[in-house]
Amino acid sequence: SLPQLLRLDDAQLQLALTKLMHAPTPPLAPADLLIQLHLVDTQETSQLKQLMRAVQLCLAERSVFPAEVLQAAANEICSLEPLPLLCMRTIIQALVYCPELSEPICANLKQLVERRVWNLPKLWTGFVRCCQVAMPHSLPVLLTLPAEKLADAMVKQPELKDELICYAATHLNSIPPDVVQVLGLADE
């Protein structure tokens, strides 16, 4: 079982996952493996570190986890209740490996806004970081945040501000007035 895999040391974990991913008939499809890893309960810090390592090993295996598999897994992971702790970390890593996923991943980010991701502090920080990695595609998503959350996002990732202002300046009619004000565009 996956929780038992996470008790292995690094070398054994890598070997076990490699065998699992490259088995002639794998017990889990690649997207399902990623999803199941996110469902593992990690009470201990050491297990969390091994879980992060396991997810990293999976994502690095490009032949098994191409962009379409990562997108399918991200779609499912972002709809889990509760949202897994490693959700945003995994999506950011997926974007690093497959920058072409930036646009489709924004549908997941929009879903997380609808789920009020800012109420989950650890995931909120990851969400903001993910938006920064997914720019410019994430700009419309960021502009759907409540004004005070957008202000917080710009504090967490200051490099968002200039891009947001440029984008918003060309879409003023579709942006709520309080968001326009947070961006400093109210007088223009």
Side-chain angles (χ1 to χ4, degrees):
S1 76
L2 292 176
Q4 290 171 325
L5 274 180
L6 298 177
R7 291 188 186 99
L8 299 174
D9 67 38
D10 242 23
Q12 291 174 319
L13 176 65
Q14 185 168 359
L15 180 63
L17 280 172
T18 300
K19 284 182 179 180
L20 185 64
M21 290 185 276
H22 293 285
T25 40
L28 286 171
D32 292 333
L33 174 58
L34 261 183
I35 294 160
Q36 290 303 313
L37 283 170
H38 283 79
L39 292 173
V40 172
D41 185 23
T42 53
Q43 297 300 324
E44 303 167 26
T45 304
S46 62
Q47 267 194 313
L48 181 61
K49 287 180 181 176
Q50 280 300 81
L51 181 58
M52 289 189 298
R53 177 79 176 123
V55 169
Q56 177 66 40
L57 289 167
C58 289
L59 294 177
E61 196 66 45
R62 304 300 313 127
S63 64
V64 179
F65 291 91
E68 58 274 7
V69 169
L70 295 179
Q71 181 60 53
N75 290 345
E76 187 65 32
I77 290 166
C78 287
S79 64
L80 292 172
E81 187 61 53
L83 281 168
L85 181 62
L86 294 183
C87 170
M88 296 315 308
R89 186 176 198 278
T90 300
I91 292 174
I92 291 167
Q93 288 177 324
L95 288 172
V96 169
Y97 283 109
C98 301
E100 68 273 18
L101 287 177
S102 291
E103 195 169 350
I105 285 291
C106 285
N108 301 119
L109 296 176
K110 187 165 178 27
Q111 181 184 9
L112 294 174
V113 169
E114 291 164 5
R115 292 182 67 181
R116 300 175 180 245
V117 68
W118 54 84
N119 290 327
L120 305 163
K122 289 180 181 176
L123 292 176
W124 170 241
T125 299
F127 173 88
V128 174
R129 174 79 179 108
C130 188
C131 286
Q132 194 271 323
V133 172
M135 281 199 326
H137 303 289
S138 61
L139 295 171
V141 175
L142 284 163
L143 292 172
T144 65
L145 290 169
E148 68 277 4
K149 298 305 171 189
L150 179 62
D152 183 51
M154 291 187 299
V155 168
K156 288 183 182 314
Q157 291 287 326
E159 54 277 5
L160 291 174
K161 189 171 185 173
D162 289 343
E163 295 272 353
L164 278 164
I165 290 170
C166 289
Y167 181 85
T170 61
H171 296 81
L172 285 175
N173 293 342
S174 62
I175 300 170
D178 56 342
V179 171
V180 171
Q181 192 165 7
V182 163
L183 293 170
L185 296 171
D187 300 322
E188 296 179 23

